[in-house]
Amino acid sequence: MTAFIDGLLNVSPLVAYIAVFCLVFAEDALFVGFVIPGETAAVLGGVVASRGEVQLLPMMGLVVTAAIVGDSAGYEVGKHLGQRIINSRPLARHQERLENAQDFLRRKGGSAVFLGRFTAFFRAVMPALAGTSRMPYGRFLAFNAAGGLTWGAGFVLLGFLAGNSYEAVAQAAGRDIAVVIAVLAVSGLVAWHFRSRRRRQRRGAASRPER
C-alpha cells in the first residue's frame, strides 16, 4: 500500500486524475471493490490537490462522477449477471457477508444504497445487489447520487485538509472517519425524511374539507 500511495503522489496531474477516476469507478463497478483501494484513492486525490498539482474542485467532481457512474455500472452488472456472480466460486467465502448485505437491502431499500457507500464491502456489492433485486433504477440513482456526492466530496476534502498527514488519514479512511461522515450523512437523511413527512401531513390537512 505504501508503494501505491507513493506512486500516486508522484505522477503527472493527468495520470493522477485518470488513476483516481479508474480506481473509484472499478471499486463500485466490478463487484470486487473490497480488494481495490478506491477510498484511499479518493483521499489521495485530495492530497494531490493540496499540493497544488491538480485543482480541488475538478478532482472532487471527478471522484463523485466516478462513484455515481461506477455504481450505475455495478447496478447493470447485477441486473444482468448478479445471481451468477453471487454464486460464483471466487465469492464463495464471502457468502455470509453477501447474505448480510442482501438482508440490509431488503430491510432498508434505497437507504441501504446510500448507507452502503460508507462501508467498504457494502460499497463494492450493494449496487450489483440492487440490480439483482430489480430495484427501480430511478430510485437507485437518487440514493446512489446522494451517497456518491457525500462520500466523494467528503473524502477528497479530507485528503485536501490532511495534506502531508495523508498516511494516517489513508489508514483511518475506512474506519473512524467513514463512521463520522456516515453519521453526518444519516443525520441529514433523517432530518430530510421528517421534513418531508411534516410537509405531506400539512398538505393532507389542508386538502381535507371543512365540516
Side-chain angles (χ1 to χ4, degrees):
M1 182 61 75
T2 300
F4 162 74
I5 291 173
D6 292 340
L8 189 57
L9 291 176
N10 291 285
V11 297
S12 69
L14 178 60
V15 173
Y17 281 128
I18 293 173
V20 170
F21 181 92
C22 289
L23 286 168
V24 173
F25 175 87
E27 183 183 40
D28 301 327
L30 302 182
F31 218 149
V32 291
F34 40 92
V35 297
I36 295 177
E39 196 166 70
T40 300
V43 172
L44 293 180
V47 174
V48 175
S50 76
R51 297 181 171 190
E53 297 171 18
V54 299
Q55 297 298 309
L56 175 61
L57 290 181
M59 178 61 77
M60 196 177 288
L62 198 72
V63 169
V64 170
T65 300
I68 294 172
V69 174
D71 271 8
S72 293
Y75 174 93
E76 291 299 324
V77 169
K79 183 177 179 180
H80 296 287
L81 302 172
Q83 203 57 52
R84 275 182 281 177
I85 296 175
I86 290 171
N87 296 330
S88 65
R89 185 176 299 177
L91 290 179
R93 64 192 181 94
H94 297 289
Q95 285 303 310
E96 184 176 352
R97 288 203 287 174
L98 282 170
E99 289 172 5
N100 290 338
Q102 288 174 309
D103 180 63
F104 185 47
L105 182 63
R106 281 192 295 269
R107 288 186 291 107
K108 298 297 183 181
S111 297
V113 175
F114 178 86
L115 297 173
R117 164 58 58 182
F118 301 94
T119 303
F121 184 80
F122 281 8
R123 184 166 58 249
V125 303
M126 196 60 73
L129 294 179
T132 302
S133 71
R134 296 298 193 270
M135 176 184 290
Y137 181 71
R139 180 175 176 78
F140 169 81
L141 181 60
F143 285 93
N144 167 32
L149 178 62
T150 306
W151 177 88
F155 277 100
V156 173
L157 185 60
L158 181 65
F160 183 82
L161 296 175
N164 290 328
S165 301
Y166 66 88
E167 289 185 356
V169 172
Q171 290 174 359
R175 303 191 304 271
D176 300 336
I177 296 166
V179 171
V180 172
I181 292 179
V183 167
L184 293 174
V186 171
S187 298
L189 189 64
V190 169
W192 171 81
H193 172 75
F194 280 109
R195 283 199 299 270
S196 298
R197 185 176 178 181
R198 283 198 296 269
R199 283 197 297 268
R200 287 194 300 269
Q201 290 173 340
R202 286 197 296 268
R203 286 197 297 267
S207 64
R208 294 192 195 104
E210 295 184 3
R211 295 183 179 179

